[in-house]
Amino acid sequence: MSKQVKQLDRVIIRFAGDSGDGMQLTGDRFTQQSAVFGNDLVTLPNFPAEIRAPQGTLPGVSSFQVHLADHDVLTPGDAPDVLVAMNPAALKANLGDLPRGATIIVDTHDFTARNLSKAGYDANPLDALGDANDPLGEYAVHPVDLTGMTVEAVKQFGLSRKDAARAKNMFALGLLSWMYGRPTDPTVAFLEKRFAKVADIRDANVAAFKAGWNFGETTESFAVSYEIKPAPMAPGTYRNITGNLALAYGLVAAGVRSGLPVFLGSYPITPASDILHELSKHKAFGVTTLQAEDEIAGIGAAIGASFGGALGVTTTSGPGIALKSEAIGLAVMTELPLVVVDVQRGGPSTGLPTKTEQADLLQAMFGRNGEAPVPIVAPQSPGDCFDAALEAARIAVTYRTPVMLLSDGYLANGSEPWRIPEVDDLAVIDPKFAQAPAADDDGTTPTFHPYTRDPETLARPWAPPGVAGLEHRIGGLEKADITGNISYDPANHDFMTRTRQAKVDRIADSLPPLEVDDPSGQARVVVLGWGSTYGPIGAGVRRVRKAGYHVAQVHLRHLNPFPKDLGDILSRYDKVLVPEMNLGQLSLLVRAKYLVDAVGYNQVRGLPLKAAELAEAIGELVAQAEGVEVDLTAATTEPSSQEVK
Amino acid sequence: MSTTSTSTELPFPGLRSGVELVPTTDEPQTGKDFTSDQEVRWCPGCGDYAVLKAVQGFLPDLGLRRENIVFVSGIGCSSRFPYYLDTYGMHSIHGRAPSIATGLATSREDLSVWVVTGDGDALSIGGNHLIHALRRNVNMTILLFNNRIYGLTKGQYSPTSEAGKITKSTPMGSVDHPFNPVSLALGAEGSFVARTIDSDRKHLTSVLSAAAAHRGTSFVEIYQNCPIFNDGAFDAIKDNDTKADAIIPLVHGEPITFGNGSKGLVRDTATGGVKIVEVGTGHGQVDPAALLVHDAHNPDPTTAFAISRLTDSGYLNQSPIGIFRQVERPAYDDLARAQVATAREAAAGDDAERLAALIGGGDTWTVV
């Protein structure tokens, strides 16, 4: 039977199931297959903080959304076109996000009275399919006994029924792989490697995966499969990468490109722990990882290592930054290089550990006692975490300062195709250690002064122990200019406070001009963003342009100091919109610094901003600025950049 | 998927000195070489002066290159210590010196790392770092200056102050039960635990020598008098009339006896601990040959702990002094460096090549 193949330019698929159903793995494999196939894509894993929330309940639902396309896409998509629901709770929890006409593939096996009741269903919604009162009437529903067929497909391996049923996620992956013409070899190879030590589990997963594919190929339930052609991309070798992995690689690269051993002091915390896990694998690069007794010890050890001449790094999330604040101040005062990674999550307090937010900007900026300026760098996409980590290390080493690297939960776990850079193209970081002083003519060695400064960067000498003649003492007490001795002198404190600020301000001299994306040159509204909102802002901006309106976009990698041209750029536009996943933190900073009437677009839902809603907000501002009616209905999907250029 | 936990045998680097990897010098050194140009700013009569002099006098004995010695401190009167030594030093933040020293010692095997801390710094705000440094057994020496009071904040009770102590923050008397620092260190898996006295330079120096030679975390509690806020706290163990009865000296391999030979320690079979007995041949007295012989190298810390409990928790009329425990256990930093070294040796190619392989790994595809 030859089936119809339909061409699609893009699709958004969400895999949803119980926390133990392996949905993250399923989504990740589907993503890897799509990446290897050459689609552009963006992913959004979404899972509860509980490792195993009560089975079958709404709080236990874990999902993975992937947006794949034959053109470049910027977001994981606002609403899924396809939902794979492994149980009633997964169906119920995700139904509200589906647009009319969406496809639902549902595992009927778990629609038992008990599971329906746990999910809060009075009646089985699948019983009424096609009836006049069908609660799922708006959708194209495919009820399939995924579990039953999986158990049947793997029975030759003699697994317990429970173990056999656990392969159902691979059956679902096989079915979806067939539906979207995904290459299967990478997943077979992956399963063979992952379960290499347990032959029957390995064979069962491979068999379930293939059975899922074959089911799609033969069943009459699915009449159509789809093709999404590879997206045009710049030449190069690509891989799919998550933000946490890219960030860890960036830190390894910073070690290689600076010649410094990387020393990570860290305490496990969601969603930053994967950076600790990853770096602990790379001892061959001279990377040392210390799992400290607490957040403070993590940064303390990193500062100690920096004093010793290593590239000190500490990784955490917002609550950890709060605990590290005093030690960050010590690094400010002692002027030692340090990279402080904050993978932001929903706050305050414990907040939403597994959900994303951008509400630590002001904590990064001001969350210390005294005048304690800290440079801030933020990546804009998962792959960009690599470059941002290198940039943070460059600033830290060059300017002898702690640097805050603000990632977030969405970047950390989300993924995208990443063009693998050439190592030789990466920035070289020069530690420029202080040299042992040469003896004067009379044979005396001049006293080393640890608080002299490089005239260009205002950086002080970095003089790790072990060099005769450079013995010195540093600490948290105010330092006298030049000598570094303890000083309570009023004028000195005023001078040193201003000097530390001036040093951080000097970093702006090393930054390239901002890229202003204003293709028509006629925009009167500029959208200013930072961090992971880059994708949704870009997608929203495209929608507005596709509908025929003008809007400019500027995205900040450096939040402190701001690039020197930011003020001028903002002043060229009538309206400045600042979308953020907080209540207006960047808005506050640019309003204060540039006296611009920045308008916030703010959500703290624990999820990335939605492009369609953001486009509406941009449209409203364009309407105000230009005195026109703005109607975006012409642009209902996320268009590619090609279409608007 | 198997979820059974696994473990691996770690290499034991073998017995070696705490300063074995630190470069030495043949240049003669004196205490003056270790004296910085900074004016010492402790109160007149402070016990810290005596310790500083003893340390400056003792460091030349180590014969290490001065530039390979680092003193790290936290906050408090004693934490000014690094400023007065012409070595490398960091006066850090309250309680965190052990964590900073852990990072420094782990990243630099060629340094002799010392932590100077006090009873508030180490046992109150920094208690967590202290116990974890001891547990890990990082190669460093921790000098805990115990004056049983907060000095720099002007006289509040500390975690070693006796219950009932009247201070600025406890006008009706402290209701806190104090820590016994030696008991705490032993409970935290300390591999070298000692106690000495600021005014006994000879004993102090001998303990410092042993501490520096020990590989792993050496913990030395130094009783130190604060003449301003807690003067006389250690008079009983310092006064010539009383100290023979107040100090229980611990010498490895020697019977534990004090009070000019009139008293000694034996095991207490009733409690499992140790007890003080009269020594002699008379009724109710114990024969000197039956006294407990101090064994600092005993792998089991039980007896050392029992001896530590003979320290008065109230006013100090009695305290064991000396090295309670000195056992070999792999040092964290040696093991951590060994893992890095092993991984580096096993890796082929230079770092740049391997970085290219790392970031270019996984499932890739090429667009031409």
Side-chain angles (χ1 to χ4, degrees), chain B residues 229-299:
Chain B
F229 296 109
N230 202 19
D231 196 21
F234 305 104
D235 277 1
I237 58 167
K238 294 186 175 190
D239 191 307
N240 283 333
D241 295 337
T242 54
K243 70 180 184 188
D245 286 320
I247 293 176
I248 305 173
L250 304 175
V251 181
H252 177 70
E254 301 283 333
I256 305 172
T257 172
F258 64 112
N260 296 318
S262 68
K263 289 185 270 191
L265 300 192
V266 296
R267 292 195 187 280
D268 185 340
T269 50
T271 66
V274 295
K275 64 181 177 187
I276 297 169
V277 292
E278 298 283 331
V279 177
T281 50
H283 178 68
Q285 293 184 323
V286 172
D287 188 278
L291 291 177
L292 182 64
V293 174
H294 183 49
D295 180 9
H297 303 162
N298 188 344

Side-chain angles (χ1 to χ4, degrees), chain B residues 149-173:
Chain B
I149 198 76
Y150 280 176
L152 201 60
T153 52
K154 302 193 175 177
Q156 302 82 7
Y157 72 105
S158 91
T160 56
S161 296
E162 60 273 27
K165 191 165 195 72
I166 292 174
T167 71
K168 279 183 182 157
S169 57
T170 51
M172 293 174 71

Side-chain angles (χ1 to χ4, degrees), chain B residues 87 136 168 177 332:
Chain B
T87 62
R136 291 196 186 97
K168 279 183 182 157
H177 185 77
Y332 171 89

Side-chain angles (χ1 to χ4, degrees), chain A residues 454-501:
Chain A
D454 180 293
E456 188 190 330
T457 60
L458 297 183
R460 76 171 189 89
W462 187 10
V467 180
L470 300 184
E471 291 87 353
H472 68 285
R473 277 68 55 193
I474 56 175
L477 284 169
E478 182 59 282
K479 301 281 161 283
D481 183 33
I482 300 174
T483 65
N485 291 337
I486 299 172
S487 170
Y488 305 132
D489 178 68
N492 178 76
H493 177 57
D494 189 85
F495 175 79
M496 292 299 277
T497 302
R498 290 173 196 278
T499 302
R500 286 186 287 267
Q501 181 65 52

